[in-house]
Amino acid sequence: MADRAHGGHNGVELDFSVNLNPLITVRELKRIITPLIESVIPYPETRAQSLVRRVSQYLGADEKRIIAGNGSIELMYCLPRILDIKRIITLEPTFCEYRYLAEINNLNHLPLFSQSCFFWDFVEIKKKLTEKDLIIICNPNNPTGNLFLKDEIIKLCETRAYILVDEAFMDFSERDESVIGYLKDFPNLFVLKSFTKIFSLAGLRIGFLLGDEKTISQVDRILPLWNVNALALEVTKSLIDDNEIIEKTKRYIKHERDFLIKKLKKFPIEIFESVANFLLLRFENARGFSSFSKSRGLAVRTPDGFLGLNSSYLRIAVKKRRENIMLIKLFEEFFRNI
């Protein structure tokens, strides 16, 4: 069975293993949620219709091409039940659920590993695609943080393979390489959008699948009624109406990411280029640092579950300055004592 390791640690003071928006505070969410408590009493909308309308306007996509889910994973899991797929292709290392999707549906899985610095030759990838393939591309990629050009991805759509682009972290990138604008041109192109990360709603679960109207209609038919809970629906509507929050987040993440990179360069650590709200690191005894930091109440993301990464890799989230300083101080203490 695929290793379904993920971030998230209970019982630690600071959790750098989870990549959520540091600007969304508990206080802010309480302010939003408190007036919405009554919404949990009646049944929610059967398909989060009012939220889909807001998302349609926000993303500039036709409502009929969008369906909401209890997190984007729920929607991804629908695709093998609808599309004629024989093989799933992934660009490794990436989110482990993609290959688990192949495993539970008895599909062949072809992992493609990069030759250098987690960048892939899309010309060669295109040559490998066949009619009943589903290639899943996380953009920006998790855990590497690199961004793929939309022009490269769209060229893959010229094949008869299915292309699924997971844009869960695109809202953190200052450079927008979303392929949503091409949906009307390619019925074999699908996009996953998640507000779990950008709005720090991991516990509420909210995501969207975008694609051609026929497939979206088929997904609608197989999903259970009321698959999006009322609180997730209403909270997301409140947050998506804040036009400044995403742009403010992009600026903040870049500023703090640059700060972390500058400080980390003092240590014998390889830092991989990232446009997302996390950094992938490689250094000797990274596993030792993971244990050390956890003993101090701070968790980082180990490489468990990521194909192609050994124990010398770690992923860290980008958080607020005070928290980032605490992480740097732990690195200073760790390297001083080895």
Side-chain angles (χ1 to χ4, degrees), residues 38-64:
E38 290 184 3
S39 69
V40 306
I41 298 173
Y43 282 100
E45 298 168 5
T46 55
R47 282 290 178 264
Q49 294 94 325
S50 61
L51 176 56
V52 168
R53 282 194 292 274
R54 300 279 185 91
V55 171
S56 170
Q57 296 166 1
Y58 172 70
L59 296 177
D62 192 320
E63 282 182 51
K64 294 180 181 179

Side-chain angles (χ1 to χ4, degrees), residues 15-130:
D15 194 350
F16 276 79
S17 73
V18 175
N19 310 317
L20 301 178
N21 187 345
L23 296 186
I24 304 293
T25 64
V26 172
R27 182 177 181 179
E28 174 68 8
L29 288 176
K30 281 183 178 179
R31 183 189 66 79
I32 293 171
I33 290 172
T34 301
L36 301 175
I37 291 300
E38 290 184 3
S39 69
V40 306
I41 298 173
Y43 282 100
E45 298 168 5
T46 55
R47 282 290 178 264
Q49 294 94 325
S50 61
L51 176 56
V52 168
R53 282 194 292 274
R54 300 279 185 91
V55 171
S56 170
Q57 296 166 1
Y58 172 70
L59 296 177
D62 192 320
E63 282 182 51
K64 294 180 181 179
R65 294 183 177 274
I66 307 171
I67 192 161
N70 181 36
S72 58
I73 289 180
E74 177 188 48
L75 302 168
M76 179 180 72
Y77 272 44
C78 292
L79 292 179
R81 298 175 59 186
I82 295 168
L83 305 178
D84 187 8
I85 301 169
K86 299 297 183 185
R87 182 172 67 166
I88 289 179
I89 299 174
T90 56
L91 308 185
E92 300 292 345
T94 195
F95 186 36
C96 66
E97 288 294 309
Y98 306 152
R99 68 179 189 274
Y100 187 69
L101 183 67
E103 183 174 320
I104 63 174
N105 286 283
N106 296 313
L107 300 172
N108 293 324
H109 173 231
L110 176 62
L112 300 180
F113 296 92
S114 67
Q115 297 302 309
S116 63
C117 296
F118 307 119
F119 284 89
W120 286 258
D121 185 337
F122 275 69
V123 174
E124 291 302 313
I125 291 173
K126 186 177 180 180
K127 293 176 183 178
K128 297 179 185 295
L129 297 181
T130 60

Side-chain angles (χ1 to χ4, degrees), residues 141-152:
N141 189 39
N142 173 28
T144 59
N146 57 300
L147 185 68
F148 301 111
L149 300 179
K150 59 187 173 185
D151 291 345
E152 291 185 323

Side-chain angles (χ1 to χ4, degrees), residues 3 19 23 47 55 59 70 73 86 88 99 140 159-160 164 171 174 192 211 236 238 240 243 272 284 313 317:
D3 184 354
N19 310 317
L23 296 186
R47 282 290 178 264
V55 171
L59 296 177
N70 181 36
I73 289 180
K86 299 297 183 185
I88 289 179
R99 68 179 189 274
T159 69
R160 300 185 69 180
L164 175 62
D171 287 322
E174 289 195 308
L192 286 173
T236 306
S238 296
I240 206 172
N243 295 324
F272 294 91
E284 289 186 20
Y313 288 88

Side-chain angles (χ1 to χ4, degrees), residues 2 12 32 34 42 53 66 70 82 94 104 117 131 136 239 253 262 266 300 317 328 330 333:
V12 295
I32 293 171
T34 301
R53 282 194 292 274
I66 307 171
N70 181 36
I82 295 168
T94 195
I104 63 174
C117 296
E131 183 177 358
I136 307 177
L239 287 166
I253 290 298
K262 179 181 178 180
K266 299 187 301 182
V300 294
I328 295 300
L330 279 183
E333 184 181 351

